[in-house]
Amino acid sequence: MTQPTPDVIEVAKDALYREAGLWDEQVGRLSDCAFQAEHSIIDLYDVVQFNDFLTGYNEVTRVFARLCTQGSLVTRDVAQTLRTVANTYEETDDSLRAQFDHH
Amino acid sequence: MAYSIRDHIESYEMVLARVHTLHARLRDELIPRVAGLATAPLGFVLPPIVTASIRASLQSALETLRYIESRVELHLWSGPLPIRMQINADAWTSVSTAASVIAGDLRWENRPVPARWRGLAADTYEQRVVPGQIAAATQLGAAAQAIAVALNWVAMSVMLFFAGLLALLAQLLAIGAGAVATFASGLGIPAALMALGASIPMIATQVAVLTTVAAEGHGRAQTFLADMRTKVLDGSEFPNGRWPYPEPARYNDATVSDGDPSDWVVIR
Protein backbone atom coordinates (compact mmCIF):
# COMPACT_ATOMS: atom_id res chain seq x y z
CA MET A 1 0.00 0.00 0.00
CA THR A 2 1.43 3.39 -0.96
CA GLN A 3 1.90 6.19 1.53
CA PRO A 4 0.03 9.47 1.02
CA THR A 5 2.08 12.01 -0.86
CA PRO A 6 3.84 14.68 1.24
CA ASP A 7 1.52 17.42 0.05
CA VAL A 8 -1.53 15.38 1.05
CA ILE A 9 -0.01 14.83 4.50
CA GLU A 10 0.78 18.54 4.72
CA VAL A 11 -2.81 19.47 3.92
CA ALA A 12 -4.11 16.92 6.43
CA LYS A 13 -1.85 18.24 9.20
CA ASP A 14 -2.89 21.78 8.34
CA ALA A 15 -6.52 20.65 8.71
CA LEU A 16 -5.77 19.49 12.26
CA TYR A 17 -4.09 22.78 13.14
CA ARG A 18 -6.91 24.82 11.62
CA GLU A 19 -9.49 22.73 13.43
CA ALA A 20 -7.59 23.25 16.69
CA GLY A 21 -7.84 26.99 15.99
CA LEU A 22 -11.58 26.59 15.50
CA TRP A 23 -11.86 25.01 18.96
CA ASP A 24 -9.76 27.86 20.38
CA GLU A 25 -12.38 30.29 19.08
CA GLN A 26 -15.01 28.36 21.04
CA VAL A 27 -12.84 28.62 24.17
CA GLY A 28 -13.09 32.39 23.84
CA ARG A 29 -16.82 32.32 23.21
CA LEU A 30 -17.52 30.03 26.16
CA SER A 31 -15.34 32.17 28.42
CA ASP A 32 -17.32 35.22 27.31
CA CYS A 33 -20.57 33.37 28.06
CA ALA A 34 -19.26 32.46 31.53
CA PHE A 35 -18.26 36.07 32.18
CA GLN A 36 -21.64 37.31 30.99
CA ALA A 37 -23.48 34.81 33.18
CA GLU A 38 -21.37 35.65 36.24
CA HIS A 39 -22.29 39.31 35.76
CA SER A 40 -25.98 38.53 35.32
CA ILE A 41 -26.59 37.69 38.96
CA ILE A 42 -29.30 39.98 40.29
CA ASP A 43 -28.87 41.03 43.89
CA LEU A 44 -31.93 40.30 45.92
CA TYR A 45 -34.26 43.24 46.16
CA ASP A 46 -36.47 43.83 49.13
CA VAL A 47 -39.51 42.94 47.07
CA VAL A 48 -42.67 41.19 48.06
CA GLN A 49 -43.20 38.79 45.24
CA PHE A 50 -40.05 38.10 43.30
CA ASN A 51 -37.36 37.18 45.77
CA ASP A 52 -37.86 33.44 45.37
CA PHE A 53 -37.86 33.84 41.59
CA LEU A 54 -34.61 35.79 41.85
CA THR A 55 -33.11 33.19 44.19
CA GLY A 56 -33.90 30.47 41.63
CA TYR A 57 -32.70 32.64 38.75
CA ASN A 58 -29.38 33.35 40.48
CA GLU A 59 -28.90 29.66 41.22
CA VAL A 60 -29.50 28.75 37.55
CA THR A 61 -27.20 31.57 36.46
CA ARG A 62 -24.37 30.28 38.65
CA VAL A 63 -24.80 26.76 37.27
CA PHE A 64 -24.80 28.19 33.75
CA ALA A 65 -21.59 30.15 34.38
CA ARG A 66 -19.94 27.05 35.84
CA LEU A 67 -20.93 24.95 32.81
CA CYS A 68 -19.52 27.59 30.44
CA THR A 69 -16.25 27.66 32.37
CA GLN A 70 -16.04 23.87 32.23
CA GLY A 71 -16.92 24.02 28.53
CA SER A 72 -14.12 26.46 27.83
CA LEU A 73 -11.62 24.17 29.60
CA VAL A 74 -12.88 21.11 27.71
CA THR A 75 -12.72 22.83 24.32
CA ARG A 76 -9.21 24.00 25.16
CA ASP A 77 -8.34 20.34 25.82
CA VAL A 78 -9.82 19.31 22.49
CA ALA A 79 -7.78 21.98 20.69
CA GLN A 80 -4.68 20.86 22.52
CA THR A 81 -5.32 17.19 21.71
CA LEU A 82 -5.69 17.98 18.00
CA ARG A 83 -2.40 19.92 18.08
CA THR A 84 -0.73 17.01 19.86
CA VAL A 85 -2.00 14.64 17.17
CA ALA A 86 -0.74 16.97 14.42
CA ASN A 87 2.62 17.42 16.14
CA THR A 88 3.01 13.66 16.67
CA TYR A 89 2.18 13.05 13.04
CA GLU A 90 4.61 15.74 11.98
CA GLU A 91 7.39 14.26 14.11
CA THR A 92 6.69 10.78 12.76
CA ASP A 93 6.58 12.12 9.24
CA ASP A 94 9.88 13.95 9.70
CA SER A 95 11.44 10.84 11.19
CA LEU A 96 10.25 8.64 8.29
CA ARG A 97 11.50 11.18 5.76
CA ALA A 98 14.88 11.32 7.48
CA GLN A 99 15.13 7.53 7.32
CA PHE A 100 14.10 7.60 3.65
CA ASP A 101 16.62 10.35 2.85
CA HIS A 102 19.33 8.48 4.77
CA HIS A 103 18.77 5.37 2.68
CA MET B 1 -38.11 52.96 13.52
CA ALA B 2 -37.35 49.95 15.70
CA TYR B 3 -38.43 50.18 19.30
CA SER B 4 -35.22 49.43 21.18
CA ILE B 5 -34.81 48.08 24.67
CA ARG B 6 -33.45 51.51 25.66
CA ASP B 7 -36.67 53.20 24.46
CA HIS B 8 -38.65 50.63 26.38
CA ILE B 9 -36.68 51.19 29.57
CA GLU B 10 -36.90 54.97 29.22
CA SER B 11 -40.69 54.76 28.85
CA TYR B 12 -40.87 52.60 31.94
CA GLU B 13 -38.60 54.94 33.90
CA MET B 14 -41.01 57.78 33.12
CA VAL B 15 -43.94 55.68 34.37
CA LEU B 16 -42.02 54.78 37.52
CA ALA B 17 -41.02 58.41 38.19
CA ARG B 18 -44.65 59.43 37.80
CA VAL B 19 -45.77 56.71 40.23
CA HIS B 20 -43.19 57.98 42.73
CA THR B 21 -44.48 61.54 42.32
CA LEU B 22 -48.12 60.57 42.71
CA HIS B 23 -47.32 58.34 45.66
CA ALA B 24 -45.58 61.29 47.33
CA ARG B 25 -48.61 63.50 46.66
CA LEU B 26 -50.88 60.86 48.13
CA ARG B 27 -48.69 60.48 51.23
CA ASP B 28 -47.77 64.14 51.76
CA GLU B 29 -50.81 66.02 50.48
CA LEU B 30 -54.04 64.06 50.14
CA ILE B 31 -53.76 61.90 53.25
CA PRO B 32 -52.86 64.83 55.58
CA ARG B 33 -55.71 66.85 54.14
CA VAL B 34 -58.27 64.08 54.63
CA ALA B 35 -56.83 63.47 58.10
CA GLY B 36 -57.27 67.17 58.80
CA LEU B 37 -60.88 67.09 57.68
CA ALA B 38 -61.55 63.97 59.76
CA THR B 39 -60.37 65.62 62.97
CA ALA B 40 -60.91 69.37 62.56
CA PRO B 41 -64.20 70.94 63.60
CA LEU B 42 -66.69 71.11 60.75
CA GLY B 43 -67.14 74.70 59.72
CA PHE B 44 -70.90 74.45 59.89
CA VAL B 45 -73.58 73.28 62.31
CA LEU B 46 -75.19 69.89 61.67
CA PRO B 47 -77.14 67.47 63.84
CA PRO B 48 -74.72 65.33 65.93
CA ILE B 49 -75.77 62.11 64.19
CA VAL B 50 -74.97 63.58 60.80
CA THR B 51 -71.64 64.95 62.08
CA ALA B 52 -70.74 61.51 63.45
CA SER B 53 -71.65 59.90 60.17
CA ILE B 54 -69.52 62.38 58.21
CA ARG B 55 -66.57 61.79 60.54
CA ALA B 56 -66.96 58.02 60.20
CA SER B 57 -66.98 58.35 56.42
CA LEU B 58 -63.89 60.53 56.48
CA GLN B 59 -62.12 58.16 58.86
CA SER B 60 -62.97 55.20 56.65
CA ALA B 61 -61.71 57.06 53.56
CA LEU B 62 -58.54 57.94 55.45
CA GLU B 63 -57.89 54.31 56.35
CA THR B 64 -58.46 53.27 52.75
CA LEU B 65 -56.08 55.95 51.51
CA ARG B 66 -53.44 54.82 54.01
CA TYR B 67 -53.92 51.20 52.86
CA ILE B 68 -53.42 52.22 49.22
CA GLU B 69 -50.40 54.33 50.13
CA SER B 70 -48.75 51.49 52.04
CA ARG B 71 -49.39 49.03 49.18
CA VAL B 72 -47.92 51.40 46.64
CA GLU B 73 -44.87 52.04 48.81
CA LEU B 74 -44.32 48.31 49.17
CA HIS B 75 -44.48 47.78 45.43
CA LEU B 76 -42.22 50.72 44.70
CA TRP B 77 -39.35 48.70 46.16
CA SER B 78 -39.55 46.40 43.16
CA GLY B 79 -39.74 49.34 40.75
CA PRO B 80 -36.13 49.17 39.49
CA LEU B 81 -36.22 45.37 39.14
CA PRO B 82 -37.68 45.13 35.61
CA ILE B 83 -35.01 47.46 34.27
CA ARG B 84 -32.26 45.15 35.46
CA MET B 85 -34.24 42.15 34.21
CA GLN B 86 -34.68 43.60 30.74
CA ILE B 87 -31.00 44.49 30.46
CA ASN B 88 -30.08 40.99 31.61
CA ALA B 89 -32.60 39.40 29.25
CA ASP B 90 -30.89 41.21 26.39
CA ALA B 91 -27.52 39.89 27.58
CA TRP B 92 -28.90 36.34 27.82
CA THR B 93 -30.17 36.58 24.25
CA SER B 94 -26.59 37.45 23.19
CA VAL B 95 -25.30 34.47 25.17
CA SER B 96 -27.85 32.24 23.43
CA THR B 97 -26.69 33.54 20.05
CA ALA B 98 -23.05 32.89 20.99
CA ALA B 99 -23.90 29.32 22.00
CA SER B 100 -25.69 28.79 18.67
CA VAL B 101 -22.62 30.09 16.84
CA ILE B 102 -20.46 27.58 18.76
CA ALA B 103 -22.78 24.72 17.80
CA GLY B 104 -22.81 25.95 14.18
CA ASP B 105 -19.03 26.30 13.94
CA LEU B 106 -18.55 22.73 15.13
CA ARG B 107 -20.86 21.20 12.57
CA TRP B 108 -19.29 18.67 10.23
CA GLU B 109 -19.49 20.88 7.15
CA ASN B 110 -17.72 23.76 8.89
CA ARG B 111 -14.65 21.81 10.03
CA PRO B 112 -11.64 20.82 7.92
CA VAL B 113 -10.73 17.54 9.67
CA PRO B 114 -13.57 15.25 8.46
CA ALA B 115 -12.49 15.58 4.84
CA ARG B 116 -8.84 14.81 5.60
CA TRP B 117 -8.73 12.15 8.30
CA ARG B 118 -10.17 8.72 9.05
CA GLY B 119 -9.22 5.82 11.35
CA LEU B 120 -10.18 4.71 14.85
CA ALA B 121 -9.29 7.93 16.66
CA ALA B 122 -10.70 10.14 13.92
CA ASP B 123 -13.95 8.16 14.03
CA THR B 124 -14.15 8.49 17.82
CA TYR B 125 -13.51 12.20 17.50
CA GLU B 126 -16.23 12.59 14.86
CA GLN B 127 -18.82 10.27 16.35
CA ARG B 128 -18.37 10.77 20.09
CA VAL B 129 -16.37 13.88 20.90
CA VAL B 130 -17.74 16.50 18.53
CA PRO B 131 -21.45 15.57 18.75
CA GLY B 132 -21.31 15.71 22.56
CA GLN B 133 -19.82 19.20 22.44
CA ILE B 134 -22.33 20.39 19.84
CA ALA B 135 -25.20 19.01 21.92
CA ALA B 136 -23.88 20.74 25.04
CA ALA B 137 -23.52 24.08 23.22
CA THR B 138 -27.01 23.69 21.72
CA GLN B 139 -28.45 22.96 25.16
CA LEU B 140 -26.63 25.98 26.53
CA GLY B 141 -28.22 28.15 23.85
CA ALA B 142 -31.68 26.79 24.66
CA ALA B 143 -31.11 27.42 28.37
CA ALA B 144 -29.94 30.99 27.77
CA GLN B 145 -32.99 31.60 25.60
CA ALA B 146 -35.28 30.19 28.30
CA ILE B 147 -33.67 32.49 30.86
CA ALA B 148 -34.09 35.50 28.55
CA VAL B 149 -37.77 34.66 28.00
CA ALA B 150 -38.38 34.25 31.74
CA LEU B 151 -36.70 37.55 32.61
CA ASN B 152 -38.53 39.40 29.86
CA TRP B 153 -41.84 37.96 30.93
CA VAL B 154 -41.39 38.85 34.59
CA ALA B 155 -40.09 42.32 33.68
CA MET B 156 -43.06 42.96 31.41
CA SER B 157 -45.54 41.83 34.05
CA VAL B 158 -44.00 44.20 36.63
CA MET B 159 -43.94 47.04 34.09
CA LEU B 160 -47.61 46.50 33.25
CA PHE B 161 -48.38 46.42 36.95
CA PHE B 162 -46.83 49.85 37.42
CA ALA B 163 -48.61 51.25 34.35
CA GLY B 164 -51.90 50.09 35.89
CA LEU B 165 -50.90 51.49 39.26
CA LEU B 166 -50.09 54.86 37.70
CA ALA B 167 -53.55 55.09 36.14
CA LEU B 168 -55.22 54.21 39.45
CA LEU B 169 -53.12 56.70 41.42
CA ALA B 170 -53.89 59.49 38.96
CA GLN B 171 -57.59 58.68 39.25
CA LEU B 172 -57.38 58.50 43.04
CA LEU B 173 -55.64 61.86 43.40
CA ALA B 174 -58.07 63.57 41.04
CA ILE B 175 -61.10 62.20 42.92
CA GLY B 176 -59.52 62.82 46.32
CA ALA B 177 -58.41 66.39 45.61
CA GLY B 178 -61.80 67.26 44.10
CA ALA B 179 -63.68 65.76 47.05
CA VAL B 180 -61.50 67.50 49.64
CA ALA B 181 -61.94 70.87 47.93
CA THR B 182 -65.71 70.38 47.70
CA PHE B 183 -65.92 69.24 51.29
CA ALA B 184 -63.81 72.10 52.62
CA SER B 185 -66.02 74.61 50.83
CA GLY B 186 -69.01 73.24 52.72
CA LEU B 187 -70.96 72.92 49.48
CA GLY B 188 -71.91 69.58 48.02
CA ILE B 189 -70.91 67.58 51.08
CA PRO B 190 -72.97 64.53 50.01
CA ALA B 191 -71.19 64.42 46.67
CA ALA B 192 -67.82 64.78 48.38
CA LEU B 193 -68.64 62.03 50.84
CA MET B 194 -69.85 59.85 47.97
CA ALA B 195 -66.49 60.34 46.25
CA LEU B 196 -64.51 59.66 49.38
CA GLY B 197 -66.75 56.89 50.65
CA ALA B 198 -67.40 54.98 47.42
CA SER B 199 -64.87 55.87 44.73
CA ILE B 200 -61.81 55.53 46.92
CA PRO B 201 -62.68 52.04 48.21
CA MET B 202 -63.34 51.08 44.59
CA ILE B 203 -59.84 52.18 43.67
CA ALA B 204 -58.49 50.30 46.68
CA THR B 205 -60.21 47.19 45.32
CA GLN B 206 -58.64 47.79 41.92
CA VAL B 207 -55.22 48.11 43.54
CA ALA B 208 -55.85 44.81 45.32
CA VAL B 209 -56.92 43.20 42.03
CA LEU B 210 -53.81 44.54 40.36
CA THR B 211 -51.72 43.03 43.16
CA THR B 212 -53.49 39.70 42.69
CA VAL B 213 -52.76 39.78 38.96
CA ALA B 214 -49.11 40.51 39.78
CA ALA B 215 -49.15 37.55 42.16
CA GLU B 216 -50.47 35.34 39.36
CA GLY B 217 -47.64 36.67 37.23
CA HIS B 218 -45.30 35.50 39.93
CA GLY B 219 -46.85 32.04 39.75
CA ARG B 220 -46.16 31.98 36.02
CA ALA B 221 -42.60 33.12 36.71
CA GLN B 222 -42.17 29.97 38.80
CA THR B 223 -43.11 27.91 35.73
CA PHE B 224 -40.45 29.72 33.72
CA LEU B 225 -38.00 29.10 36.53
CA ALA B 226 -38.70 25.37 36.34
CA ASP B 227 -38.09 25.49 32.58
CA MET B 228 -34.76 27.29 33.09
CA ARG B 229 -33.70 24.68 35.64
CA THR B 230 -34.69 21.79 33.37
CA LYS B 231 -32.64 23.15 30.49
CA VAL B 232 -29.56 24.11 32.49
CA LEU B 233 -29.53 20.93 34.53
CA ASP B 234 -30.33 18.64 31.58
CA GLY B 235 -28.69 15.36 32.56
CA SER B 236 -28.47 13.97 29.04
CA GLU B 237 -26.34 16.84 27.74
CA PHE B 238 -24.64 17.68 31.04
CA PRO B 239 -24.03 14.34 32.74
CA ASN B 240 -23.76 14.75 36.53
CA GLY B 241 -24.32 18.45 36.06
CA ARG B 242 -21.03 18.85 34.22
CA TRP B 243 -19.94 19.81 30.73
CA PRO B 244 -19.30 16.56 28.80
CA TYR B 245 -15.63 15.66 29.00
CA PRO B 246 -14.23 13.57 26.15
CA GLU B 247 -11.22 11.65 27.38
CA PRO B 248 -8.29 12.74 25.16
CA ALA B 249 -6.89 9.20 25.39
CA ARG B 250 -9.76 8.04 23.20
CA TYR B 251 -8.61 10.02 20.18
CA ASN B 252 -5.08 11.33 20.74
CA ASP B 253 -3.05 8.40 19.44
CA ALA B 254 -1.21 9.42 16.29
CA THR B 255 1.90 7.37 16.98
CA VAL B 256 3.08 4.61 14.71
CA SER B 257 5.79 3.39 17.05
CA ASP B 258 3.46 1.83 19.62
CA GLY B 259 3.08 -1.41 17.76
CA ASP B 260 -0.15 -0.55 15.95
CA PRO B 261 -0.80 1.81 13.07
CA SER B 262 -1.70 5.41 13.82
CA ASP B 263 -5.33 5.80 14.87
CA TRP B 264 -5.41 8.92 12.73
CA VAL B 265 -5.14 7.98 9.06
CA VAL B 266 -4.78 10.49 6.25
CA ILE B 267 -7.44 10.28 3.57
CA ARG B 268 -5.68 10.10 0.23
Short mmCIF file of all heavy atoms in Angstrom, two decimals, chain B residues 22 27 39 41 53 87 107 153:
data_model
loop_
_atom_site.label_atom_id
_atom_site.label_comp_id
_atom_site.label_asym_id
_atom_site.label_seq_id
_atom_site.Cartn_x
_atom_site.Cartn_y
_atom_site.Cartn_z
N LEU B 22 -46.73 60.65 42.26
CA LEU B 22 -48.12 60.57 42.71
C LEU B 22 -48.22 59.93 44.09
O LEU B 22 -49.06 60.31 44.90
CB LEU B 22 -48.97 59.80 41.69
CG LEU B 22 -49.11 60.45 40.31
CD1 LEU B 22 -50.12 59.69 39.45
CD2 LEU B 22 -49.54 61.91 40.41
N ARG B 27 -49.20 60.58 49.85
CA ARG B 27 -48.69 60.48 51.23
C ARG B 27 -48.60 61.85 51.90
O ARG B 27 -48.97 62.01 53.07
CB ARG B 27 -47.32 59.82 51.18
CG ARG B 27 -46.68 59.56 52.55
CD ARG B 27 -45.23 59.16 52.38
NE ARG B 27 -44.50 60.22 51.67
CZ ARG B 27 -43.47 60.01 50.86
NH1 ARG B 27 -43.03 58.79 50.64
NH2 ARG B 27 -42.88 61.02 50.26
N THR B 39 -60.55 65.26 61.56
CA THR B 39 -60.37 65.62 62.97
C THR B 39 -60.75 67.06 63.28
O THR B 39 -61.14 67.37 64.41
CB THR B 39 -58.90 65.39 63.39
OG1 THR B 39 -58.07 66.08 62.47
CG2 THR B 39 -58.55 63.92 63.41
N PRO B 41 -62.78 70.65 63.46
CA PRO B 41 -64.20 70.94 63.60
C PRO B 41 -64.81 71.27 62.23
O PRO B 41 -64.15 71.87 61.39
CB PRO B 41 -64.22 72.19 64.50
CG PRO B 41 -62.85 72.37 65.01
CD PRO B 41 -61.92 71.62 64.13
N SER B 53 -71.66 60.69 61.40
CA SER B 53 -71.65 59.90 60.17
C SER B 53 -70.59 60.43 59.19
O SER B 53 -69.87 59.67 58.56
CB SER B 53 -73.05 59.96 59.54
OG SER B 53 -73.01 59.39 58.28
N ILE B 87 -32.40 44.39 30.91
CA ILE B 87 -31.00 44.49 30.46
C ILE B 87 -30.37 43.10 30.46
O ILE B 87 -29.69 42.69 29.51
CB ILE B 87 -30.21 45.47 31.37
CG1 ILE B 87 -30.73 46.88 31.14
CG2 ILE B 87 -28.72 45.38 31.12
CD1 ILE B 87 -30.23 47.90 32.14
N ARG B 107 -20.19 22.16 13.46
CA ARG B 107 -20.86 21.20 12.57
C ARG B 107 -19.88 20.63 11.55
O ARG B 107 -18.92 21.29 11.16
CB ARG B 107 -22.04 21.87 11.84
CG ARG B 107 -23.24 22.12 12.76
CD ARG B 107 -24.24 23.00 12.07
NE ARG B 107 -24.81 22.33 10.90
CZ ARG B 107 -25.92 21.61 10.94
NH1 ARG B 107 -26.57 21.46 12.08
NH2 ARG B 107 -26.39 21.03 9.85
N TRP B 153 -40.44 38.12 30.54
CA TRP B 153 -41.84 37.96 30.93
C TRP B 153 -42.08 38.58 32.30
O TRP B 153 -43.06 39.33 32.49
CB TRP B 153 -42.22 36.47 30.94
CG TRP B 153 -43.70 36.32 30.98
CD1 TRP B 153 -44.54 36.21 29.90
CD2 TRP B 153 -44.53 36.29 32.15
NE1 TRP B 153 -45.83 36.12 30.34
CE2 TRP B 153 -45.86 36.18 31.70
CE3 TRP B 153 -44.28 36.37 33.50
CZ2 TRP B 153 -46.93 36.12 32.58
CZ3 TRP B 153 -45.34 36.32 34.39
CH2 TRP B 153 -46.65 36.19 33.92
#
